[in-house]
Amino acid sequence: MLDDTIRQQLAAYLERVTQPFEIVAALGGDAKSAELHELLSEIAAMRPGMIALRTNGQDRRVPSFTLERIGAPARLRFAAIPLGHEFTSLVLALLWTGGHPPKEAPELLEQIKALEANLNFEVYMSLSCHNCPDVVQALALMATLNPRITVTVIDGGLFQQEIDAREIMGVPTVYLNGQPFANGHMGLEDILHKVDSGAAQRDAVRISAKAPFEVLVIGGGPAGAAAAIYAARKGIRTGLVADRLGGQVNDTNEIENYPGLPQTNGPAYAAALAGQVRGYGVDVMNAQRVTALTPAARPGGLANVTLDNGGQLHSRAVIVATGARWRNVGCPGEQEYKTRGVAYCPHCDGPLFKGKDVAVIGGGNSGVEAAIDLAGVVQHVTLLEFLPEMKADAVLIDKLRSLPNVTVHTNAQTTGITGADGKVNGLHFKRRDSGELVQLPLEGVFVQIGLIPDTEWLGGAVERTRQGEIVIDAKGQTSAPGIFAAGDCTTTPYKQIVVAAGSGAAAALSAFDYLIRTPAMDAGAKNG
């Protein structure tokens, strides 16, 4: 099943297993059970004496398997054949079960071990979802470390009837003790904040006790990461606070236009950014949302940054790199049916609409690419573009029009998304040239109309455009001394990864220049 290269790499990883364990499979006579049996047999054969395979497991989900340490009850089950994006999750689960230490921060590992509640998680994922592995891996780690926690990882494409019964229309979707817990991307810190009631208060105290930074970066995407790397390389005290390391890049599938990196994907690139930032000793505060920025009253003073948990950070220079988020259509029904048929990631959620009719709103490159991808999975795709012509590249438009199960409507204004029984059942649009109202019966709507800068929290701290972009000069300086900005949240043209990274580097160099040319005021004056 595994090709020779993957098999050799996996065998090398499994040499790190130091504690024997069993893979216990619940199998049937179907083709998927045979496929899973083949995969598990290959894995067990790579580490005889340490990994044993039993095929007499019992579970209501077939095929599935558990990873069980000798003498301990099963706490982690995969109701899946974890290949595709989830192969890394399988490898990590094997290593952790086999005694190999995880690489997470020691304080997070201790926080997991200290959880006292009985937590039974079920996480629904798709093998094509690039956001799902972070959630799966976080929960798998929790189950490995704490005997009160159990986790079942369920492939929605393999158990479609269960997906339909629970009316799951987006992945990752997590249930806790039988009740809905969360939808969408989450990291380990996010999950811990939700299940550990005292985490936010402890974080606020810990963060507020930090000494002032020389450069504090707000945002963890390509711009923020580049800024932190360039600042740290100057040997100055650098911090980075972000609600999500990697930022919007985590939601990007293929990246094929980054110079020197011919092909990668968003999650892999985001992980590389995070590793490089940490490697330079940057004080990373992840899963933290900033709610306010108060610039220093005078050059050389300390700016103040407030977090949503009440924590306070101070820095001589601040670089804002909060990026952008998916733009909403703003029509009735969009918010009501979000994750109930309204989706923003075709790669993640597309497989859940297999054989169904869906719409894509947006005729730019993202929208057309989404429609092309979905056409290979769903029954029919209707693409709606507000303007008279689609804005995507000609080669993409030609490909789209060649597909037999795609209909394109231009000059189409989406006026509403309808639903019944808690999920989408249709969409209304108006033909802008004639005023005709059209109703489409369908079960999914994928919104692909661009991004909006994540800057509302700034208020009047710095000058912004009517669209919310932070106004910067060629060096990344904002209207407030000592406050710089970079990336998709700014007036920098061309919202591309390489442009964001370059602007982050420029902002860091400008911040350093500001520091060496501006005498520091008394550090005791927090906003002096």
Side-chain angles (χ1 to χ4, degrees), residues 10 12-18 21 67 69 90-101 144:
L10 179 56
Y13 279 123
L14 293 181
E15 288 297 320
R16 303 175 186 180
V17 170
T18 59
F21 65 92
L67 303 180
R69 289 174 176 165
L90 172 61
V91 174
L92 290 172
L94 292 167
L95 292 177
W96 294 333
T97 305
H100 187 69
T144 304

Side-chain angles (χ1 to χ4, degrees), residues 181-408:
F181 174 74
N183 296 95
H185 182 274
M186 296 181 74
L188 179 59
E189 296 97 329
D190 301 303
I191 296 172
L192 288 174
H193 282 159
K194 286 178 72 73
V195 299
D196 185 352
S197 59
Q201 184 176 0
R202 291 197 303 272
D203 278 353
V205 173
R206 174 179 57 84
I207 287 172
S208 297
K210 292 180 180 290
F213 293 95
E214 291 176 279
V215 170
L216 177 64
V217 180
I218 304 173
I229 290 167
Y230 268 73
R233 282 174 59 87
K234 293 295 185 181
I236 59 180
R237 177 169 162 74
T238 304
L240 183 150
V241 58
D243 62 348
R244 185 185 182 195
L245 277 177
Q248 196 74 22
V249 166
N250 284 290
D251 301 326
T252 302
N253 194 27
E254 300 300 321
I255 299 173
E256 298 179 340
N257 59 354
Y258 198 94
L261 195 64
Q263 196 280 327
T264 186
N265 60 70
Y269 179 69
L273 286 177
Q276 192 171 6
V277 168
R278 295 185 191 277
Y280 277 106
V282 175
D283 187 344
V284 175
M285 294 155 279
N286 194 27
Q288 304 292 338
R289 178 170 288 276
V290 175
T291 57
L293 167 65
T294 304
R298 296 181 296 280
L302 294 175
N304 184 78
V305 172
T306 303
L307 308 185
D308 64 354
N309 60 17
Q312 302 284 324
L313 292 166
H314 309 281
S315 184
R316 288 182 62 199
V318 173
I319 300 173
V320 180
T322 45
R325 62 185 184 276
W326 293 115
R327 185 183 298 274
N328 292 320
V329 179
C331 68
E334 180 180 17
Q335 296 302 315
E336 180 181 356
Y337 294 108
K338 190 174 288 187
T339 76
R340 310 297 293 174
V342 175
Y344 298 81
C345 179
H347 305 293
C348 302
D349 300 332
L352 301 179
F353 294 85
K354 184 177 181 180
K356 300 178 180 179
D357 292 342
V358 304
V360 172
I361 301 176
N365 282 346
S366 296
V368 173
E369 288 173 352
I372 292 170
D373 288 344
L374 289 166
V377 177
V378 305
Q379 178 171 286
H380 190 271
V381 180
T382 300
L383 184 142
L384 304 176
E385 166 56 43
F386 183 83
L387 297 176
E389 299 291 339
M390 288 184 284
K391 305 181 293 297
D393 296 340
V395 64
L396 294 175
I397 294 175
D398 290 343
K399 173 64 176 177
L400 181 72
R401 294 194 181 279
S402 73
L403 300 175
N405 63 333
V406 174
T407 300
V408 175

